[in-house]
Amino acid sequence: MPSLTAFLAAAGASPFMQGIAIIVGTFILEDAATILTAMQVRTGHVALSVALVALYIGIVVGDMGLYGMGRLAALWPPARRWITLPGGAREGHWFDRNVFRIVFISRFVPGARLPLYTACGFFRARFGLFCIAAVLATLIWTSLLFLVSLRVGQFLIDHLGTWKWAGMAGFALTIFLISRMIARLQGNETR
C-alpha cells in the first residue's frame, strides 16, 4: 500500500485525484486503504470528507462487484452444476431472507465476504436489499476502523515523528495478520 500513499501525495491539492486514489486502494486492500487514508487525514494531506466519501464509495462498489461476479458465474452452466444446495436455497430464497445477516456477518468476519457476497449474486438475492445491507455494514465497519486509525495515527505522529509511517505500516500489518489468524481459526473449527 505504499503506492497509495505515494499517489495521495502526488495528488496534492486535488480532492478528486485523492478520492480516486482512495477508491482504487479499497479495491486492493480495503482495511489497509482505510488505515492509510486515516493517517493522511491526520497529517492534513487529505480532507476528512474526501476520505470518508471515497472510502465508502470504493468499498460499496467493491462489494457490488463481488455480487456481480456471483451473478456472472451463475450464467455459466458448469458453475451451476458444481453448486448444490438443499431446497429453497437453490432458488435463492434463503439468501433473500438472510441477506442482511449475511452481509453484516461477513463484513465483520475476515475472509467471509468473497464467498458470501458472490453466493448472494449466484443465488440471486435481491440486489437492492444487498446494496442497502452493504451500505449500512460499510458505514458501521469503515467508520469504526477509520476512527481507531485516526487515534492510532495521532499517537504515532506524537510519539514516532518521522517514523510514523513505519508505525502505521506495522498497525496495518497487525490488522491484516489478526484477520488472517481469525479466518484460519474459523476454518479449523468448521472442519
Side-chain angles (χ1 to χ4, degrees):
M1 289 309 294
S3 61
L4 174 62
T5 303
F7 190 72
L8 285 173
S14 171
F16 177 76
M17 291 305 293
Q18 291 172 340
I20 295 298
I22 294 166
I23 290 169
V24 169
T26 64
F27 295 156
I28 298 167
L29 275 174
E30 65 185 43
D31 288 347
T34 302
I35 293 165
L36 291 173
T37 301
M39 188 68 166
Q40 288 289 0
V41 168
R42 185 52 76 192
T43 60
H45 292 107
V46 175
L48 178 64
S49 58
V50 171
L52 287 175
V53 168
L55 285 169
Y56 296 147
I57 289 171
I59 292 170
V60 170
V61 168
D63 291 350
M64 290 179 198
L66 292 176
Y67 179 97
M69 286 174 32
R71 286 297 302 128
L72 286 174
L75 299 174
W76 190 44
R80 288 194 306 267
R81 286 191 297 266
W82 292 333
I83 306 295
T84 57
L85 290 176
R90 178 168 287 133
E91 293 103 33
H93 300 300
W94 184 87
F95 287 90
D96 257 355
R97 286 191 314 269
N98 295 290
V99 72
F100 272 86
R101 188 174 306 149
I102 293 167
V103 170
F104 273 82
I105 289 171
S106 56
R107 172 54 60 196
F108 295 94
V109 174
R113 279 183 309 112
L114 174 64
L116 291 175
Y117 287 12
T118 55
C120 284
F122 191 92
F123 294 106
R124 299 180 185 188
R126 283 179 282 174
F127 185 66
L129 283 178
F130 176 85
C131 290
I132 291 168
V135 167
L136 293 174
T138 298
L139 287 172
I140 294 168
W141 170 251
T142 303
S143 298
L144 289 172
L145 181 58
F146 189 82
L147 288 172
V148 168
S149 299
L150 279 176
R151 293 211 182 256
V152 169
Q154 187 61 53
F155 176 83
L156 294 173
I157 289 168
D158 292 345
H159 293 55
L160 296 181
T162 58
W163 288 92
K164 64 184 172 271
W165 290 109
M168 191 51 84
F171 177 61
L173 181 62
T174 300
I175 296 290
F176 177 76
L177 292 175
I178 289 171
S179 69
R180 298 283 33 109
M181 187 173 63
I182 291 170
R184 283 189 184 176
L185 289 173
Q186 290 170 341
N188 289 339
E189 288 177 7
T190 58
R191 287 183 196 160

